[in-house]
Amino acid sequence: MSLDLALSTILSPIVLFFVLGLGAALLRSQMSVPEAFAKGLAIYLMMAIGLKGGVEMSKASLGPDIFILAGAALLLSFLLPFLAYYTLRLSSKMDRINAAATAGHYGSISIVTFVAATQALQLAGILSSGYMVAIAALMEVPAIISALLLARRGLKKNGEVAGSEKGELFREVMLNASVVVLVGSLLIGWMTGETGMEKISPFFVTPFQGVLCLFLLDMGLSAGRGLRQGWRDLNFGALSFGIYMPLLSAAITAILCKALSMSLGDTALLITLAASASYIAVPAAMRLALPKAKPSIYLTLSLGVTFPFNLTLGIPLYILLAQWVAS
Amino acid sequence: MFNKKRIELIIEKPAFKRACRVFEECGVTGYTALPCMAGYGNGKRWQRGTDLSASRDMVMVVSIFDENLLPKITEQLENLIGSHIGVLSVSDVKVIRDDKF
């Protein structure tokens, strides 16, 4: 039964389209999805998942459990970069600045991995809570603070970079597109409930799976191109970090979920969130806050190694782990 | 025709607004920013739109201004590209309308 679930996740259209994009990019195909269209797809997906989560939240009563879970998720996102930093430094001998910037990515989350996990759960008939979208949004930011704390010790005080503006990093971190769209859609879904959703469901519910396939085709292309361009900057220790770190995060989160007695669906989603790595919000923040860190290192790892791993093998593994923990 | 200086700054997109602020604070009368398509540097090829964060994209900012602003602008931009990925070049140009620069 569990292996059937794993196989059906791996062989789902969304994963296969991702593999198609990845393969095409690695084989140097000229295929591409127009940039503005890809950004539009990302906004659409975040709106759809936010609305869906908000509607689910409007139907359920929110108890103290949610606040405990939110606190645990924030703490997890804040602490995981410390583990990532030291394991990365140990396994790859990476310098402090690059290790700190990379660690920040591994405490934050990938919303696309989260969406893919919700689809896999839906396919398996496993229910999850709508408020997990809010948990995902909460986990975007704390890791950036951890990365800055970790990097601070490795930075020489050279004064301010020319053209810097007070509050620009705060705006980048707190008001980046994914946080604004996700939290905003969640609140709109929560406020308007099922009645509001009925009016827009032909646009946000019915075509969702198809749009996700198209988006993952583009993500496959991005991951493949990123891997092709950046793999030379990574040694074996760093490349393997892209695989073992999500597994380490997943194992720690599984213990936490067991302690919190979470449901199967929510356990699988929290494990997936902790095991995923950011490639939208954190890279942009790192370019402003830690410009000396190389994007070719952290983006290649999060987008070129961890994201494909999570999407193909990680999610089925995390669901199996959740089943084991919740049983 | 009047002699002026022209700066071409190619800088990573996340730092592009910082570069714009430098130009504005130094008192130039105008600048133009253009997206860069692709390139090669440090032994590696790059192209725009590789990832959704756009943190590997590059932008070119062009500005023409009076020579007396050059030391201040170059000092500030040197500081900027000391931290961020970028290339700065300065050239002599001639313009028709002196009052516009």
Side-chain angles (χ1 to χ4, degrees):
Chain A
M1 181 65 184
S2 298
L3 281 176
D4 286 348
L5 169 68
L7 208 61
S8 65
T9 308
I10 293 166
L11 296 176
S12 66
I14 57 170
V15 175
L16 292 176
F17 272 108
F18 174 79
V19 173
L20 175 67
L22 184 74
L26 290 175
L27 294 169
R28 295 170 186 260
S29 160
Q30 293 300 307
M31 178 173 68
S32 69
V33 174
E35 196 184 329
F37 184 60
K39 284 188 178 163
L41 290 179
I43 291 172
Y44 168 88
L45 289 174
M46 285 187 278
M47 281 175 80
I49 197 81
L51 282 167
K52 191 169 172 275
V55 172
E56 293 300 320
M57 274 171 70
S58 73
K59 287 192 277 185
S61 57
L62 303 179
D65 291 2
I66 295 162
F67 297 100
I68 295 168
L69 174 61
L74 282 171
L75 200 66
L76 201 61
S77 173
F78 182 76
L79 293 177
L80 282 176
F82 290 89
L83 176 70
Y85 175 81
Y86 289 107
T87 51
L88 184 58
R89 293 264 289 157
L90 205 68
S91 67
S92 69
K93 312 282 177 225
M94 195 179 280
D95 65 273
R96 275 185 179 170
I97 303 289
N98 280 307
T102 307
H105 290 68
Y106 282 80
S108 189
I109 59 116
S110 147
I111 198 70
V112 185
T113 313
F114 174 80
V115 172
T118 56
Q119 295 304 302
L121 289 176
Q122 209 174 316
L123 197 75
I126 301 169
L127 294 173
S128 59
S129 308
Y131 57 73
M132 288 308 289
V133 181
I135 300 296
L138 280 176
M139 289 177 79
E140 286 253 25
V141 177
I144 299 171
I145 300 162
S146 314
L148 297 183
L149 289 174
L150 285 163
R152 206 169 52 176
R153 290 179 309 149
L155 282 174
K156 285 180 197 158
K157 290 196 174 168
N158 288 334
E160 210 169 58
V161 177
S164 302
E165 194 182 52
K166 209 177 174 186
E168 65 177 344
L169 183 63
F170 178 81
R171 277 199 303 278
E172 185 63 50
V173 171
M174 301 303 289
L175 296 173
N176 68 70
S178 55
V179 171
V180 171
V181 176
L182 206 59
V183 175
S185 308
L186 188 84
L187 291 174
I188 292 169
W190 195 8
M191 280 157 52
T192 56
E194 225 160 353
T195 326
M197 194 65 173
E198 268 172 30
K199 293 174 190 162
I200 50 175
S201 65
F203 185 71
F204 282 110
V205 179
T206 317
F208 183 79
Q209 290 270 352
V211 175
L212 187 58
C213 287
L214 196 54
F215 184 70
L216 279 166
L217 175 73
D218 181 56
M219 287 304 295
L221 289 166
S222 293
R225 281 197 296 258
L227 194 59
R228 230 181 51 214
Q229 286 172 14
W231 70 272
R232 286 182 191 89
D233 283 330
L234 301 168
N235 58 24
F236 177 76
L239 279 168
S240 60
F241 170 86
I243 307 290
Y244 75 70
M245 187 59 212
L247 296 174
L248 209 55
S249 303
I252 291 166
T253 313
I255 298 166
L256 181 73
C257 293
K258 182 84 176 167
L260 293 174
S261 305
M262 288 169 63
S263 70
L264 169 60
D266 293 356
T267 299
L269 288 182
L270 191 64
I271 290 174
T272 305
L273 283 172
S276 68
S278 170
Y279 44 80
I280 302 177
V282 183
M286 286 302 123
R287 290 316 301 144
L288 285 180
L290 300 174
K292 298 271 185 198
K294 290 181 183 173
S296 58
I297 292 178
Y298 52 70
L299 264 170
T300 306
L301 274 174
S302 67
L303 186 60
V305 181
T306 304
F307 181 66
F309 169 74
N310 276 340
L311 210 63
T312 50
L313 300 172
I315 291 172
L317 272 174
Y318 307 144
I319 296 174
L320 292 178
L321 182 62
Q323 282 179 331
W324 184 64
V325 168
S327 64
Chain B
M1 298 282 266
F2 303 91
N3 290 327
K4 299 288 168 191
K5 291 287 178 187
R6 174 187 154 116
I7 272 188
E8 260 184 36
L9 172 71
I10 299 171
I11 191 151
E12 55 177 329
K13 197 177 175 186
F16 147 71
K17 282 185 185 163
R18 286 180 173 172
C20 295
R21 277 186 217 114
V22 167
F23 281 113
E24 287 165 27
E25 283 161 14
C26 288
V28 301
T29 53
Y31 58 81
T32 304
L34 308 134
C36 300
M37 290 298 292
Y40 177 82
N42 278 334
K44 274 176 275 184
R45 285 189 200 137
W46 59 268
Q47 68 178 76
R48 65 175 282 120
T50 311
D51 63 272
L52 276 171
S53 72
S55 53
R56 281 190 283 203
D57 287 7
M58 302 292 283
V59 174
M60 181 162 82
V61 189
V62 180
S63 184
I64 298 171
F65 48 84
D66 203 78
E67 196 167 357
N68 61 21
L69 294 176
L70 186 65
K72 195 178 173 189
I73 296 176
T74 46
E75 186 197 336
Q76 293 277 300
L77 292 180
E78 203 181 333
N79 171 299
L80 186 65
I81 58 172
S83 296
H84 289 283
I85 302 165
V87 178
L88 175 70
S89 64
V90 182
S91 53
D92 293 313
V93 290
K94 287 186 188 296
V95 298
I96 297 168
R97 296 177 297 176
D98 186 34
D99 58 315
K100 294 283 178 188
F101 305 91

